[in-house]
Amino acid sequence: MTEPADLVIVNGRVFDGRVRTVHTAVAVAGDRIVRVGADADMLALRGDATRIVDAAGGVIHPGFVDAHVHAAFAGVERLSLDLTPAQSVEETLELIRAGAERSDAGWLTGGGWSHELFPAPTRQELDAIVPDRPVALSDAGHHTLWVNSRALELAGVDRDTPQPHNGHIHLDADGDPTGYLNETAAELVGRVIPPATEDEVLAGLLNAQEYLWSIGVTGWHEAILGEYNGKADCTPAYLRGIASGELRSSVSGALWIAPGLDLDEVPALVAQFVESRDRNARAGFSTSTAKAMIDGVPHGETAALLEPYCNNGDGFAGELHFDEDVIRAFVAQLDAAGFALHLHIMGDRGIRVALDAIEAARAANGAARGSGAGRQAPRHHVAHLSMVQPGDAARFGPLSITANIQGLWAAPDPYVVPMIGEERMLAGYPFRAMADGGAELAMGSDWPVSPPDPWLAIHVVVNRWAPPPPGVEVPPLPEGAESGALPPTLDAEHQALTLEQAFAAYTSGSTELVLGRPGRVRVGERADLAVATGDPFELPAEAIVSLQTAVTVVGGEIVYER
């Protein structure tokens, strides 16, 4: 290269997306990396307009790519009533009170409240704050809705409302709804909530982009494109942001398969998805993935398990969100049409059913797709992975299924013990077994379900324990689980990933999976980069969580500086 570089980053240590290298500097021209090497070689490329960034010893790496995030509505919540900062019951209620005072909207909506603080929230608690207009607040996991009496009234939900399939309307001792609704029961209220406008969704999306840049995330995969639980389809906002150039991060998205799909509806769904994929692609938005929730979550006893829940005396083991023959049908037909499946699965029965369906689809459809000879099979991925039997963990590699990891969830969780028991909890999230079996790894946050900070997630995946948030008192872990040291027979440390594996999963692994490009720091690649405040390879493992993002570069331009 003879032309001056536009940007030179020096005095760091380059992690190229797979390994930590000997290089200390990177040069960028336009939106491309043009040289990687030593400081002196990069500085030789500076001109009058070259921007020089001192990495101050921090690691220079590909920008993080979040492989499972709900960015649009995380941003909408940030701009409306965001309850995630609350660390006590009192703080949560005060945020609700303040939100009600500053908003004159017909409905008060938002989310992020904690099950740990409100294990069984009631409509009366909300009625005391907002008695005269409807309130509907999603929990942090966004599988549960907490509503007041006015919201129940407008939705027509009362003591005579039948319990919906795959959902639960919690009732009090008198048989009246408490205001606590799980899974499909939440949709009974969600369907009458006025959805956010396209302008509001776009504003949320751009707000989320700014926040994600501040933590080094340069691209992501929107995990639901379609109407979901009273929320509008965010696809139009993405298309507007791409067309206007305001959405500068690299993004892709997954078309939503709503629960309850019937077998005879599958061919029409596939045809509709093909049309949407082609239309979105022409607008520069990749939507060649289809998302389905195969089951629910253990906290709500809606994940589909092979053995019953511990605190349920009738042998209840959860339910699938689709009939098994429907799962097999849409997996096979979408696979044949070239769609990657992005599957939310929390229970071990859900995992087994999905793996069986993907195995059958691979056998029926083969590796080649479409009219182009040699076209590769789609890269299916399974998200969450909280309960996976050892034999099923070993199937991911041979079936070419990517493990889409939400790392923060892999710490021992004392709150889930009453539902699934200590043994199943401690045996969860078997990332190392899947990696050792040849599975590709990607990482994402599921924000706003959990915080989107990649360094925090990497810390948990490497250490298998999570530091508590400031000011939060965490109840004791089960015996033998203190500080991440688990009993030898259930040693989660054996399921921890190395720093190199985790770092690669959140950079090149996710980039390859959801953006379809290498995600590497090497000549010719797109200059989506981040610089950390330190080098994790020089830190003790327990200090990984201390790292932050110092600089973020998107398409060759600095978009964030700490």
Side-chain angles (χ1 to χ4, degrees), residues 182-336:
N182 294 120
E183 299 291 353
T184 54
E187 297 173 13
L188 300 176
V189 172
R191 66 192 179 192
V192 300
I193 300 173
T197 67
E198 189 177 307
D199 287 345
E200 290 170 335
V201 178
L202 178 58
L205 179 57
L206 298 179
N207 178 278
Q209 176 177 244
E210 291 279 348
Y211 180 64
L212 291 170
W213 285 345
S214 76
I215 54 176
V217 176
T218 59
W220 66 83
H221 180 71
E222 182 70 44
I224 292 180
L225 296 174
E227 295 182 1
Y228 169 68
N229 198 18
K231 294 179 172 62
D233 181 4
C234 59
T235 304
Y238 271 93
L239 296 176
R240 278 180 58 185
I242 292 168
S244 69
E246 296 171 283
L247 185 58
R248 297 165 63 188
S249 296
S250 297
V251 295
S252 65
L255 304 174
W256 173 236
I257 306 170
L261 184 72
D262 290 330
L263 187 61
D264 58 3
E265 297 172 327
V266 173
L269 175 97
V270 175
Q272 175 194 333
F273 279 15
V274 169
E275 181 181 340
S276 296
R277 177 181 61 188
D278 293 346
R279 181 176 62 251
N280 294 337
R282 289 192 294 270
F285 187 28
S286 174
T287 57
S288 58
T289 303
K291 164 73 180 293
M293 288 184 182
I294 298 299
D295 64 355
V297 293
H299 283 83
E301 297 186 5
T302 53
L305 311 184
L306 291 169
E307 299 293 335
Y309 284 94
C310 296
N311 58 343
N312 198 308
D314 61 3
F316 181 69
E319 296 177 308
L320 299 170
H321 283 185
F322 305 88
D323 292 339
E324 288 192 39
D325 59 345
V326 175
I327 295 172
R328 288 191 295 270
F330 73 64
V331 167
Q333 293 180 42
L334 286 166
D335 177 87

Side-chain angles (χ1 to χ4, degrees), residues 37-50:
D39 289 4
D41 293 335
M42 301 304 107
L43 291 172
L45 299 176
R46 63 183 164 186
D48 293 340
T50 302

